[in-house]
Amino acid sequence: MLHPRPSLPLFVFALLLGASWGLAAQTPIGGEAPGYTARALSPTPMDAAIRQRYWAPGLNQGYVPQGLSFVRGTLFVGAYRSTEAQTNRGPAKIFAVDPRNGAVIGGFDLPASIGHADGLATTPDGGLLFLADNGRALYAFDLPRSLQAGTAVAVGTPRALEKDPALGSNFLSFDGRLLWFGRYSRDDGAARLIAADPAVIFNGSDRPFRAAEAARSLPLPFHAQGATFDAAGTLWISASNGSMGRIYRIDSQTGAVLAQHDAMAGLEDLARGSDGLLWAVGEAGSQRWNSWKTFFPLLFSFDPAALK
């Protein structure tokens, strides 16, 4: 049998493949570059999987990026203002970002009761924005009206969480039916991944949400910072601190870790984009955390299939 010869030697194909992996690293970074430092981006374990890179919004104004969501062709980034390592809360806002170039195209200020804007989630039609804040409370906002007004327009009343070590509001995701949220834990196995119906959470009650109201309660990895569901319904959780980062693929029925991948320190929330890509945002290198060894204050997309 005759076998056609490849038009290029195999080693050339390998070089081209390697070049495509490094394409994101060579492409100029969109968005507003930091004016407070000349540091170079740190290499990270995710570099081969990254596809688009933009500076996180609000860096020059002292904002620290946290929550992230993607809906109807727009990225939404939750952030709080702090330039001091000891200051964990500050004025918070939502930035609307164009995923094609990283430009800020809108946004709105959040209420004074929100000082961190840890986690964001949106309904598929873009009508509601859900928000988790580390003050142990969950919020719902009318997204179109908030963008138009420039200030948050609440839907109903916020729901506080009971002071239970199983509960926390450091990240948030929506699978189309349930809201998923949880507590950042350094070494406390009591923290749980909670899933609950938004109608149960935002039922108008002035009583704090209790763990017994959850539709699902699962084990949660340490240092959890963000979560999202991909197009196939798979749950992904980001975890980090100032010196490490990981991304976990989780069985949403049992909480079992199906896979884990090394990531950059300071990795925050995740969001599902288009074409099978996921989005993430990092706080390492924001003005508050510019003393960390890792410098990667970016909003970026990545291919989960290319994670090492």
Side-chain angles (χ1 to χ4, degrees), residues 52-232:
Q52 295 151 284
R53 306 181 306 161
Y54 307 130
W55 295 110
L59 292 173
N60 287 320
Q61 291 75 45
Y63 282 96
V64 184
Q66 296 292 294
L68 183 63
S69 190
F70 182 101
V71 67
R72 298 180 67 86
T74 301
L75 287 158
F76 293 93
V77 181
Y80 68 98
R81 195 166 68 236
S82 172
T83 59
E84 303 296 330
Q86 299 79 14
T87 304
N88 191 43
R89 293 174 66 82
K93 73 177 301 177
I94 301 296
F95 293 91
V97 177
D98 188 332
R100 298 170 298 180
N101 53 28
V104 174
I105 55 175
F108 55 93
D109 296 328
L110 292 168
S113 59
I114 296 173
H116 212 84
D118 300 69
L120 303 182
T122 46
T123 52
D125 64 358
L128 291 178
L129 174 77
F130 300 110
L131 184 146
D133 187 66
N134 70 359
R136 301 184 66 83
L138 303 175
Y139 297 76
F141 300 107
D142 184 311
L143 183 54
R145 291 177 62 198
S146 298
L147 289 167
Q148 184 177 27
T151 188
V153 177
V155 176
T157 57
R159 187 77 186 274
L161 304 182
E162 192 172 55
K163 292 183 178 179
D164 179 339
L167 299 176
S169 50
N170 294 108
F171 64 87
L172 185 67
S173 187
F174 185 51
D175 66 2
R177 187 174 70 89
L178 300 174
L179 281 171
W180 296 71
F181 55 96
R183 177 170 66 86
Y184 179 90
S185 170
R186 292 178 175 85
D187 54 10
D188 178 3
R192 304 288 289 179
L193 175 60
I194 300 294
D197 189 326
V200 172
I201 297 173
F202 301 105
N203 62 4
S205 173
D206 56 3
R207 294 179 53 187
F209 177 90
R210 295 173 294 112
E213 297 178 72
R216 202 168 299 169
S217 175
L218 302 174
L220 182 63
F222 294 144
H223 306 288
Q225 297 274 22
T228 196
F229 288 84
D230 64 21

